[in-house]
Amino acid sequence: MEITHIEHIGIAVQNLNEAIKFYENVLGLKCYAIEEVKDQRVKTAFFMVGQTKIELLETTDPEGPIGKFIEKKGEGIHHIAFAVKNIENQLQTLQQKEIKLIDNQPRKGAEGLDIAFLHPKSTFGVLMELCENKENK
Ligand code: ZN
């Protein structure tokens, strides 16, 4: 595995607008993008912290992954995303090591990144995402 840095930390929130106010007014961060990712049934808001982002996630569907997460566990940290190179190769290597994957192939996430999730059963309880920015190397 070749991880370059923590790309972002995904945080599930009930109300994106209320959460944005906290991140801006209390933490002093600036929301630089709001984007709906239809595939994952979420609306996302991004903040830059050094070279790492905070990704706030509000569900657009109670049955979506974030809706179910909040119902079960409440608001809080949802996943951690690592920036990698050659995401396809990384997924292959993980499969060879019999790590359980949610995505066997990368798909498109927010900000045009190629992303894939690892199953928390194989990662000591943490939902992990790999992402690669192919457009901006
Ligand atoms: Zn993410």
Side-chain angles (χ1 to χ4, degrees):
M1 205 58 169
E2 246 185 282
I3 294 171
T4 58
H5 61 282
I6 294 177
E7 216 282 333
H8 63 268
I9 296 166
I11 298 174
V13 300
Q14 289 277 13
N15 183 316
L16 199 64
N17 289 331
E18 289 301 315
I20 288 170
K21 277 187 215 160
F22 170 80
Y23 280 80
E24 292 199 323
N25 299 340
V26 180
L27 300 186
L29 299 170
K30 180 90 196 92
C31 176
Y32 70 87
I34 292 178
E35 186 186 340
E36 185 169 342
V37 185
K38 290 231 162 77
D39 183 43
Q40 287 170 66
R41 289 174 278 173
V42 288
K43 224 166 102 182
T44 62
F46 283 95
F47 303 81
M48 207 74 214
V49 187
Q51 66 173 344
T52 300
K53 297 160 191 160
I54 300 282
E55 175 187 39
L56 300 182
L57 302 146
E58 178 195 272
T59 195
T60 55
D61 173 359
E63 292 302 311
I66 294 298
K68 284 187 183 159
F69 175 86
I70 288 184
E71 192 186 294
K72 263 193 227 153
K73 299 186 176 174
E75 294 178 299
I77 293 182
H78 178 256
H79 66 275
I80 179 161
F82 296 115
V84 297
K85 288 177 183 153
N86 304 314
I87 189 166
E88 289 87 356
N89 295 353
Q90 310 288 1
L91 292 174
Q92 265 184 15
T93 308
L94 289 169
Q95 276 170 320
Q96 282 158 11
K97 292 181 176 169
E98 296 183 352
I99 303 297
K100 227 179 146 200
L101 302 176
I102 293 173
D103 302 299
N104 291 319
Q105 294 295 326
R107 56 191 161 101
K108 283 285 170 200
E111 303 194 298
L113 299 180
D114 288 292
I115 66 155
F117 283 96
L118 279 58
H119 200 287
K121 277 194 178 138
S122 282
T123 60
F124 297 85
V126 178
L127 178 59
M128 290 181 182
E129 176 184 352
L130 303 183
C131 26
E132 182 172 20
N133 187 348
K134 294 206 168 163
E135 287 152 22
N136 177 26
K137 269 189 177 169

